[in-house]
Structures are given as C-alpha cells and as structure tokens.
Amino acid sequence: MKSIILLTLMAIAAPAWAQSNEQLARENAELRARVAGLEARMAQLESRSAPAVTPAARKALDLDQWRRCRAGLTKEQMIELLGKPTTEQFASAVNQYPDTETWYYGTPGVGPGGSVMFMGGKVAQCVTVGFTNNP
C-alpha cells in the first residue's frame, strides 16, 4: 500500500518537477545572457579614456594675477587674466541660480588655485586657495 501511495505521489509530482526544472533552466539562460551583456557593456565603459583635465594655466598659479580679479569682469577678461580654467560648472548645486557658472583653477587641496563665479556672464566672486599669502 505504501508503495502505491508513493508511486501515485511521484506520478503527480513528476510533471511539476519537470516544469520547475525547465523554468529554472530558462531563467538560468536568461540570467547568463543578461550577465554577458552587462559584462560587455562594462568592458566598453572601462575602455573609454577619462576626460582630460586641463592643467592650471601658469597665470592662475600667480597670486598677483588673482589680486586683479574683481566683480564685473567678463569671461574674456578672466581668460586673459588667469588663462582657461581647469574645470567648469554650469549651474549652482541646488539650481537656485540658473545663470551661474563657476570656473575652477588648479587642483583643490593639492596646490594653489581658486574659483571664479560668474552671474549673468560677469564675475561675481573670486576665491583663492592654497596660496601662502591669500588676499
């Protein structure tokens, strides 16, 4: 009697096991394909070169040049005064001032440099960092 019950249970459960095995095999194949796609994408992203960071212009490392920086100067005047910036940021962090642009010179914490904030295309503020005699 026990063997008949056991055989009956196995006969009922066998299709469910087969179905779950097929489903697991399908899911496994889908996951393998997805992982392969992600690995290919990761390899592509890792092969891209990092954007070049422009070194600070020699003028931007001269404190006397920074002392000539004042509110109202244009971007062209700033490039003439300090050279092209190392990096640029085109909005405030909280987007309160959409017409704000900040130019950074040098590498903060590594050596002399600073930042210039523009509002409406004109200098609003100049800040120096890392100079021994900050103004």
Side-chain angles (χ1 to χ4, degrees), residues 112-124:
S115 62
V116 179
M117 185 178 75
F118 296 91
M119 291 185 83
K122 302 274 184 165
V123 172

Side-chain angles (χ1 to χ4, degrees), residues 66 68-93 95-105 114-127:
W66 280 96
R68 294 175 51 206
C69 181
R70 62 182 63 34
L73 294 177
T74 65
K75 293 177 184 181
E76 292 78 20
Q77 289 171 315
M78 286 310 304
I79 290 173
E80 187 176 313
L81 183 64
L82 297 175
K84 291 187 177 184
T86 306
T87 58
E88 301 174 39
Q89 180 180 343
F90 295 96
S92 68
N95 237 0
Q96 287 180 308
Y97 309 103
D99 197 22
T100 300
E101 183 175 344
T102 305
W103 289 2
Y104 298 94
Y105 292 87
S115 62
V116 179
M117 185 178 75
F118 296 91
M119 291 185 83
K122 302 274 184 165
V123 172
Q125 181 182 29
C126 299
V127 177

